[in-house]
Amino acid sequence: MLGITSVRNYSLESGVGIQNLQLVEDEAGLVGTWTATGNTDDCVFQIAISSNAASQNGLNLETRETSFVLPNPVACSEITVQVSAGTSSVTDTITIVMRVTTAPYLRDMITSCNSIQMIWEAEPYEQNMCEVTHFQMFCLSDTHNFTIPQMVTDVQHRTFDILITLLRPDIYYICNGFIFTTLAGFSPPSANIEFWSNLDSVRDLEVVETADSIRATWEAPLNSEECGVAYEVIYTNEVLGTSTIEVVGLSHDFDIELIPCTDYTITVTPISFTGSKGTAVSQDFTPSIRVGGVDNLIATDAGDSVVLSWSPASVGVCPLTYIVQNALNGVEGDRFDTTEGPITFDRIPCSESQFSVQVLSEGVYGPVVVTNLELGSADINSITEVVTLNLDGTVLSWSPPITIGLCEISYIVDIENTFGMQQTATRSTSIDLELIPCSNNKFTVRGTANGILGAPASVEDYAPVAELAPPSHVSTNPAFTSATITLRGQAIAENLCRVETAILECSDVNGGSIVREIDVMDNTPRIFTVVLDDLEQDTIYTCVARLQDSASGNEFAFRTVPLVEKDLIISDVSENGFLVSWIEDYGQQFVIGYELVIQSLGPAHRVPDGCSVDSSLFSVSLSNDELSSVFIEGLPDYSYRVVLTTYYTLGISLQSNTASARTLTGVPDIPANLALDFVSGSSETYDVSAILSWSSPCELNGGLRGFGVNVTASFLLGGVQQRVTVALGVDAEEEYVNAIFGKTIADINPFFTYEVAVNVIAATEGPSTVLEFVPPPACVCGVNDVFDV
């Protein structure tokens, strides 16, 4: 319910008027609003609050707004608000609405053998001024329920003293308290109050540690006289378990083992003469930690190590740490912690070792226990690997094997790489090496002493990077306008660092410059090949070969090939042909082949019309690995024209000068068309002549000069066969090769037989063709009769 009261009076003094003050209660609290007239700029309103509730009486507020909020006003209280500015003011009064008081709470509870006294308190009057009529408590149990009311006798002091008697023993109760507010009803319930109807608990329970056990003491419950009391004493331990004993006095000495780092719980419960038990009281107790030293500490030479052992210590169930430290020849070594033994140490001959063990538990240290062990050079049983083997640059270093201890030792060092293995010996623990840059090396070090060769220790690592020497010139294969250059990098046996790029810079006498980058694809042979194009013929180039990012280089020079016209040489001329040869000079290695073209110009002499003449054009191809000469087959006394074309790499070809050749004359063929006719003369006598005719053969093989004619007559004289030969030559000019030649053989004897041999005379005399005939018989014939043979 909201209370609103308006006050009509207002003032207009000082130029500011205040009116219509309204007080409204909402969720934010008490809200006051008003209106102001006149000049309210920078006006400060004074708010004075008076109330019958002490917590909000006499409050004074200031605001520049025409409203204010008073949070959490006291329920059922009366509040008067005056708002003023200068001499102007307005007043209003409101009564705060009723609300239910908050839940009561139990301030104290006193138990006795058969009763319970509870002291309850409700919400204070100054926080809630609404009328409270009575307090009511409801209790529940498994067997019965009950309720207890109590009226309010003092409005401003809301304390309720509840006494519960005739409780049944050993009953578990749950109780709640309520406050009833007039016209508003019951408050929310209090928190559950739970209890057993029994004795009070013992007081001042204390547990202390004695020399060899623990002792518990306590004070009797307050209601022990009414109830008559004995005590149930229980101890609980995670190792020993639980044990119960009943005592009459106010203390108990336990006859139990003290186990450090375990918790003991001592519980004391009073027992009444009725057999009911009071509330148990417990006290936790943890024994103190007492740490001793280890027993049976001994260092044993195990042959390949030293074993430090001891009997395990026991400090209850406390976690233990053994602090182990050794000293070598009086110099303390590393200290380390362990939770168990034995511990293995490196065996160090030629030394005196001291070992100590100390027990630590929960921050408590035990005494230090010490044992000693001495080993000499005769105690070297084996030599293990050297340790911390490492390559730093070109320095290989290591530390002596553990098993050699402090005895003297020598070392054998094996260095193995792609190029083989080398071995050296030293007494030092480092060696400076001459390594092939960038080579992958395997270093093996073994110790040796007293005739014992130690186990090998190896490390693989790359030698440091070093700049390679510039490439060297291997060969140059020059062409006419190009050159193939082969370079070789520094041998991998000297430097294995990888080469990525080589640089070739070349220049000629005319100032031309060529730069080529060569990508090195294979670092094993380190052969770099580069082709330079667009060069000038017959030019000397000076080149420098270097590696990328390197200033130093190797210089060399080469000359490109000139294109030289070849002169053909004709030799070994015969009637069957002639030899063509030529000379290859600088650049022969770039020849890929030859082509020799031969044109026949025909015979060098006249031949009869109608004869076949060779005027062919043919070629002969040769590879570059054949001899630079070829025999051309031809016909006798023929003229030829010869041209040589040389084919080079890069598609270049070059033609030689034209050479002429004439074969030697040969032996002419036999005359052609040889025929014989008989012609008779006078009829009175035997007058017969033989007319012989022929023509020039096609194969004169030289210029025609004539013919040889030999006539041989055969007859019997005195019964003896006789032969007579007469030479009848015929001269002829070369221009008459188409003529029909003839010869008359007169005075033929009819009783003879004849043989005629005719041969051609050209550059040489040719073979003869032979014609045999018998004259016609003697008879009377007409003058012009012709006798055919």
Side-chain angles (χ1 to χ4, degrees):
M1 178 177 180
L2 301 178
I4 303 175
T5 303
S6 298
V7 179
R8 298 180 179 86
N9 62 318
Y10 60 91
S11 174
L12 296 176
E13 295 182 10
S14 301
V16 177
I18 303 173
Q19 59 185 358
N20 298 327
L21 173 61
Q22 292 186 350
L23 300 177
V24 179
E25 186 179 356
D26 63 10
E27 293 179 355
L30 178 62
V31 178
T33 60
W34 59 91
T35 58
T37 60
N39 183 12
T40 60
D41 293 343
D42 298 326
C43 182
V44 177
F45 298 97
Q46 306 293 329
I47 303 169
I49 299 174
S50 59
S51 173
N52 58 351
S55 61
Q56 55 198 20
N57 185 43
L59 295 177
N60 292 287
L61 307 173
E62 289 184 353
T63 180
R64 293 180 183 276
E65 307 292 335
T66 56
S67 64
F68 76 95
V69 176
L70 177 64
N72 301 319
V74 177
C76 297
S77 66
E78 185 177 279
I79 299 175
T80 299
V81 176
Q82 182 184 37
V83 179
S84 60
T87 59
S88 176
S89 67
V90 65
T91 304
D92 195 7
T93 301
I94 188 173
T95 300
I96 303 302
V97 298
M98 180 180 297
R99 66 170 173 81
V100 176
T101 185
T102 57
Y105 67 94
L106 181 64
R107 190 180 70 185
D108 197 8
M109 184 172 71
I110 302 172
T111 62
S112 64
C113 187
N114 57 1
S115 64
I116 296 291
Q117 182 181 7
M118 296 183 180
I119 309 298
W120 291 86
E121 286 193 2
E123 185 178 19
Y125 176 78
E126 57 270 15
Q127 296 178 10
N128 189 329
M129 299 181 67
C130 299
E131 182 180 3
V132 176
T133 59
H134 65 276
F135 167 84
Q136 189 153 349
M137 185 175 71
F138 297 93
C139 293
L140 306 176
S141 73
D142 291 339
T143 59
H144 65 285
N145 305 325
F146 61 87
T147 180
I148 300 175
Q150 188 175 94
M151 300 303 293
V152 175
T153 58
D154 188 343
V155 175
Q156 296 189 12
H157 297 87
R158 298 171 177 174
T159 300
F160 308 97
D161 190 348
I162 306 298
L163 179 63
I164 307 173
T165 59
L166 301 177
L167 291 175
R168 300 178 188 179
D170 297 328
I171 299 295
Y172 187 73
Y173 292 95
I174 300 176
C175 298
N176 298 99
F178 299 85
I179 299 293
F180 187 81
T181 303
T182 304
L183 301 179
F186 283 104
S187 70
S190 69
N192 288 346
I193 306 301
E194 303 177 12
F195 61 91
W196 286 90
S197 58
N198 55 15
L199 282 169
D200 286 341
S201 59
V202 298
R203 298 170 296 157
D204 302 329
L205 175 61
E206 184 179 9
V207 181
V208 297
E209 183 175 348
T210 61
D212 54 2
S213 189
I214 56 178
R215 177 183 178 87
T217 60
W218 58 89
E219 294 293 331
L222 292 176
N223 57 354
S224 61
E225 294 183 358
E226 297 98 353
C227 298
V229 176
Y231 300 96
E232 179 186 71
V233 181
I234 302 173
Y235 77 81
T236 302
N237 178 265
E238 59 194 78
V239 176
L240 301 177
T242 301
S243 178
T244 304
I245 189 173
E246 189 173 311
V247 301
V248 176
L250 298 178
S251 65
H252 180 68
D253 291 311
F254 292 90
D255 184 14
I256 56 177
E257 179 187 0
L258 289 183
I259 303 175
C261 296
T262 63
D263 292 329
Y264 292 79
T265 300
I266 308 301
T267 303
V268 180
T269 305
I271 305 173
S272 71
F273 60 85
T274 64
S276 65
K277 295 182 179 180
T279 303
V281 175
S282 297
Q283 177 73 45
D284 291 333
F285 170 76
T286 301
S288 61
I289 298 174
R290 302 170 185 176
V291 180
V294 298
D295 295 327
N296 303 317
L297 178 64
I298 184 171
T300 304
D301 182 3
D304 57 352
S305 63
V306 172
V307 178
L308 184 66
S309 60
W310 60 88
S311 298
S314 176
V315 186
V317 296
C318 300
L320 294 182
T321 298
Y322 299 100
I323 302 172
V324 181
Q325 187 170 22
N326 73 308
L328 185 66
N329 291 342
V331 179
E332 289 189 356
D334 294 334
R335 168 177 168 168
F336 60 93
D337 299 343
T338 181
T339 57
E340 60 183 2
I343 301 297
T344 300
F345 289 88
D346 294 327
R347 188 173 179 274
I348 305 177
C350 303
S351 70
E352 293 182 2
S353 298
Q354 183 182 81
F355 304 92
S356 65
V357 177
Q358 185 179 25
V359 180
L360 170 63
S361 178
E362 297 294 326
V364 180
Y365 291 88
V368 177
V369 181
V370 175
T371 187
N372 298 301
L373 179 67
E374 182 178 351
L375 296 174
S377 60
D379 294 311
I380 299 176
N381 295 330
S382 64
I383 301 176
T384 55
E385 298 178 2
V386 299
V387 294
T388 61
L389 181 60
N390 178 61
L391 178 67
D392 184 5
T394 59
V395 177
L396 182 68
S397 61
W398 60 90
S399 297
I402 298 299
T403 55
I404 201 66
L406 301 178
C407 302
E408 291 186 356
I409 184 174
S410 298
Y411 301 97
I412 299 174
V413 181
D414 295 333
I415 306 168
E416 184 178 1
N417 54 33
T418 306
F419 308 100
M421 185 181 74
Q422 65 183 79
Q423 188 177 87
T424 186
T426 181
R427 288 185 176 274
S428 175
T429 55
S430 66
I431 184 172
D432 199 352
L433 305 168
E434 293 183 3
L435 300 176
I436 300 172
C438 296
S439 62
N440 187 18
N441 297 271
K442 181 180 181 180
F443 306 96
T444 302
V445 179
R446 292 172 294 174
T448 177
N450 291 351
I452 300 174
L453 184 62
S458 299
V459 63
E460 289 192 33
D461 206 342
Y462 284 90
V465 176
E467 182 176 334
L468 282 83
S472 59
H473 175 244
V474 176
S475 64
T476 299
N477 191 6
F480 309 103
T481 58
S482 66
T484 300
I485 299 174
T486 301
L487 306 173
R488 179 182 289 112
Q490 186 177 6
I492 59 175
E494 300 173 359
N495 193 325
L496 266 173
C497 296
R498 185 170 181 80
V499 179
E500 299 293 342
T501 306
I503 306 296
L504 181 64
E505 299 173 339
C506 297
S507 59
D508 58 28
V509 294
N510 298 320
S513 177
I514 301 173
V515 179
R516 290 287 187 274
E517 288 190 1
I518 309 169
D519 292 331
V520 180
M521 305 304 294
D522 189 348
N523 262 262
T524 301
R526 285 191 179 147
I527 301 297
F528 318 145
T529 301
V530 62
V531 177
L532 300 181
D533 299 315
D534 301 328
L535 304 179
E536 297 294 332
Q537 293 185 50
D538 197 18
T539 301
I540 296 176
Y541 288 88
T542 301
C543 300
V544 175
R546 61 181 177 85
L547 297 178
Q548 191 176 41
D549 301 327
S550 176
S552 61
N554 280 327
E555 184 175 311
F556 64 94
F558 68 91
R559 173 189 171 195
T560 52
V561 179
L563 288 172
V564 179
E565 186 178 272
K566 293 181 177 61
D567 292 325
L568 296 182
I569 302 170
I570 306 297
S571 62
D572 296 343
V573 181
S574 68
E575 63 184 64
N576 296 320
F578 52 89
L579 182 69
V580 180
S581 60
W582 56 92
I583 297 174
E584 275 294 355
D585 199 356
Y586 184 61
Q588 182 177 5
Q589 66 268 36
F590 302 102
V591 175
I592 59 175
Y594 303 97
E595 183 180 40
L596 197 64
V597 178
I598 305 99
Q599 182 180 11
S600 173
L601 302 179
H605 57 275
R606 295 190 62 177
V607 295
D609 295 340
C611 291
S612 175
V613 175
D614 180 18
S615 59
S616 62
L617 182 71
F618 62 96
S619 63
V620 177
S621 296
L622 301 174
S623 63
N624 65 337
D625 56 351
E626 297 185 64
L627 295 175
S628 56
S629 64
V630 63
F631 186 82
I632 304 300
E633 293 183 355
L635 298 175
D637 199 27
Y638 258 66
S639 295
Y640 294 92
R641 180 181 292 118
V642 183
V643 175
L644 175 69
T645 300
T646 306
Y647 294 97
Y648 298 92
T649 57
L650 306 177
I652 299 174
S653 63
L654 186 65
Q655 199 171 74
S656 70
N657 64 321
T658 301
S660 297
R662 179 178 176 179
T663 54
L664 299 180
T665 57
V667 176
D669 200 358
I670 61 175
N673 305 314
L674 180 63
L676 182 68
D677 292 329
F678 290 103
V679 178
S680 63
S682 173
S683 59
E684 296 177 356
T685 60
Y686 186 84
D687 185 13
V688 176
S689 296
I691 305 299
L692 188 67
S693 64
W694 67 89
S695 61
S696 298
C698 288
E699 290 78 18
L700 284 172
N701 296 333
L704 179 66
R705 296 192 323 211
F707 301 92
V709 179
N710 291 312
V711 180
T712 301
S714 298
F715 56 90
L716 291 173
L717 181 62
V720 178
Q721 183 73 31
Q722 299 292 323
R723 290 177 60 85
V724 177
T725 299
V726 177
L728 303 174
V730 177
D731 294 330
E733 298 293 334
E734 184 177 352
E735 59 189 32
Y736 298 117
V737 293
N738 291 311
I740 300 298
F741 298 95
K743 195 69 175 178
T744 300
I745 304 173
D747 300 328
I748 293 177
N749 191 324
F751 303 104
F752 291 3
T753 60
Y754 292 89
E755 180 181 281
V756 179
V758 182
N759 69 301
V760 178
I761 301 173
T764 60
E765 292 191 9
S768 298
T769 180
V770 177
L771 178 64
E772 294 180 355
F773 67 90
V774 176
C779 64
V780 178
C781 303
V783 174
N784 295 318
D785 290 340
V786 177
F787 300 92
D788 294 328
V789 178

